[in-house]
Amino acid sequence: MRPLFSITTLAILLMPLAAIAGTDYTVSQKGKKFRPSEISINVGDSIIFVNDDKTRHNVYSKSTGLEFKIKKQKPGDRNTISFDRAGAAEVRCAIHPKMKLVITISE
Ligand SMILES: [Cu+2]
């Protein structure tokens, strides 16, 4: 008797689940800069903000529909933000006004 689902069929059926789970990207804050300073992701993906500096950061976005606020982030801390809609988010640091990250989120 043939198995009901082949491995290939199973892989195809499970693929949408992987898409829903999304991809995690890491953005470092080092030397009072975001690294990278621009990143393109897809809806459902997440960004892990890591403070690799010896100073605190305070990352936020006020971009419409894509607002978030990590608040005070100590050296070594990591915070994950997921993005569930398309658009462009400008990310700044409340402590260091020169810091800027642009996230482009596609469908
Ligand atoms: Cu900062």
Side-chain angles (χ1 to χ4, degrees), residues 29-33 51-55 57 75-76 99:
Q29 300 161 80
K30 199 170 169 98
K32 296 178 187 171
K33 284 180 181 166
N51 185 351
D52 288 318
D53 264 327
K54 292 193 168 76
T55 180
H57 290 294
M99 290 177 67

Side-chain angles (χ1 to χ4, degrees), residues 16-78:
L17 288 179
I20 290 164
T23 305
D24 289 345
Y25 295 90
T26 301
V27 171
S28 168
Q29 300 161 80
K30 199 170 169 98
K32 296 178 187 171
K33 284 180 181 166
F34 289 108
R35 298 172 188 219
S37 60
E38 286 178 35
I39 190 166
S40 294
I41 66 171
N42 292 310
V43 170
D45 290 346
S46 298
I47 294 184
I48 305 163
F49 289 91
V50 183
N51 185 351
D52 288 318
D53 264 327
K54 292 193 168 76
T55 180
R56 284 185 175 199
H57 290 294
N58 191 332
V59 172
Y60 68 90
S61 160
K62 285 185 177 170
S63 299
T64 307
L66 295 164
E67 298 92 344
F68 69 88
K69 201 186 287 180
I70 290 179
K71 298 185 180 167
K72 287 203 180 88
Q73 194 187 39
K74 289 184 296 219
D77 277 3
R78 308 160 68 85

